[in-house]
Amino acid sequence: MKPIEVKKDIYWVGAVDWDIRDFHGYSTYKGTTYNCYLALDEKVVLFDTVKKGFLSDLTHRIHNLIEPQKIDYLVVNHLEMDHSGSLPEVIELIKPEKIFTSPMGQKAMMAHFHYKDWPVEVVKSGDTLNIGRRTIHFLETRMLHWPDSMFSYFPDDKLLISSDAFGLHWATSERFDDQVDPSELMHHAAKYYANILLPYSPLVAKLLAQVKEMGLAIDTIAPDHGVIWRGDPGRIIAAYDRWSRQEAVAKALVVYDTMWHSTELMAKAVADGLQDEGVCVKLMNLATTHRSDAITELLDAKALLVGSPTLNNGMLPRMADFLTYAKGLKPTGKLAAAFGSYGWSGEAVKQITEVLKEMKLEIVDEGLRHNYVPDHEALHKCRELGQKMGQAIKAAGLAPAGVRCHCSQG
Ligand code: FEO
């Protein structure tokens, strides 16, 4: 229950959730953290709170530094319940003199908590708050990833408290990027981006340009989830730059579901064809792969190949789930094609192709179907589909996937 010093007199006082395995559809198979930061100055400021049920973690850590009732100000950078679920209890405990939040934060706070007498004060981009030796600068980051999202920046400490941005779901005893395995770190960061921020990529790109233009000196980024970037914050900024442009490498994701292994045989033959062309392939069966892990692999893939047999005149339910999820995340600039086995009606491939078109992906082939179990000739056609896609990927002149093929890392 120790607080961890991030900068002189600025501490991490959050909670580690080792048990959470589902985050509204995102598989958090290694848990997460709910980060909060406490600045000790002439005014004592707490940045964000924790999910409901983790109040004791927060208050015990604060108690190691100061009586919670001595906190003067609360800054609410984000209203999603993983950071605000304990807000009413925190307010009741510390009775803050003021609560600072963005204009949209105030609306969200009212809509969530229907408060009457909280001392809420709205701050906008460019507003500052002097707390003694330090001044906090606020920057609204609307839709990154909620309308209320906001950054808090300490120029003298070169510290950016970045809310959900630059975060990752990973429960660790370590609090900093330079204390954990760098490969696993970037995998979790990529997964977080792919599953949370991908639809807002144009706004991420705009924000990165804005931060550059403002010339903000940053040597530490303290997000609301996962480790704090102090060893190499440039690495995650560079990764966000690539991910926000949806930069792809010579890699394809073949994602499928299967009833009696016929579509699985087709998927493997498609993957063989891609490999014939020297393209890195990730082959993922939705029966054993979580949708959020498949999306992570899609982040830097140039092509998406989707396979499903036909069941009751449609695609298999797990594929419908995946495509609904993928469509909402708005991946762009990718090539696509569908395939699948069928018995008598065979609508799945056409339906999948329609969804891929709705996603505005570039259809390289109108789809490959096979009646019942594919024989050698049918598998050869699947392989040719893979080769055709592989050639289209190569024509895009992309960098080889290399080691990044294995985990979408930066
Ligand atoms: Fe971590 Fe958008 O909440």
Side-chain angles (χ1 to χ4, degrees), residues 33-51:
T33 71
Y34 312 114
N35 297 341
C36 310
Y37 302 95
L38 187 72
L40 304 179
D41 209 312
E42 287 170 27
K43 292 289 186 183
V44 178
V45 188
L46 177 64
F47 294 84
D48 288 318
T49 63
V50 288
K51 189 179 171 184

Side-chain angles (χ1 to χ4, degrees), residues 311-363:
L311 173 73
N312 300 331
N313 305 108
M315 66 188 87
L316 285 185
R318 273 190 293 251
M319 186 53 73
D321 171 297
F322 172 75
L323 287 174
T324 299
Y325 190 69
K327 188 178 171 186
L329 290 169
K330 298 185 174 63
T332 60
K334 302 195 189 296
L335 311 172
F339 60 91
S341 166
Y342 71 101
W344 47 98
S345 58
E347 293 92 336
V349 168
K350 189 166 180 227
Q351 289 175 5
I352 292 169
T353 303
E354 286 307 309
V355 176
L356 296 173
K357 285 179 182 172
E358 286 167 16
M359 291 169 69
K360 299 186 174 56
L361 305 187
E362 185 182 336
I363 305 301

Side-chain angles (χ1 to χ4, degrees), residues 23 78 80-83 145-146 164 169 192 196 224-225:
F23 203 99
H78 182 27
E80 192 166 4
M81 287 291 196
D82 49 328
H83 309 292
H145 67 121
W146 273 26
D164 277 336
H169 290 311
Y192 189 92
I196 304 278
D224 274 1
H225 297 288

Side-chain angles (χ1 to χ4, degrees), residues 217-251:
I218 297 168
D219 71 11
T220 303
I221 299 175
D224 274 1
H225 297 288
V227 295
I228 296 158
W229 301 87
R230 72 172 178 193
D232 188 4
R235 189 173 187 202
I236 189 63
I237 291 172
Y240 266 52
D241 177 45
R242 277 198 313 280
W243 297 334
S244 67
R245 288 183 284 106
Q246 300 211 32
E247 186 181 290
V249 292
K251 169 180 164 184

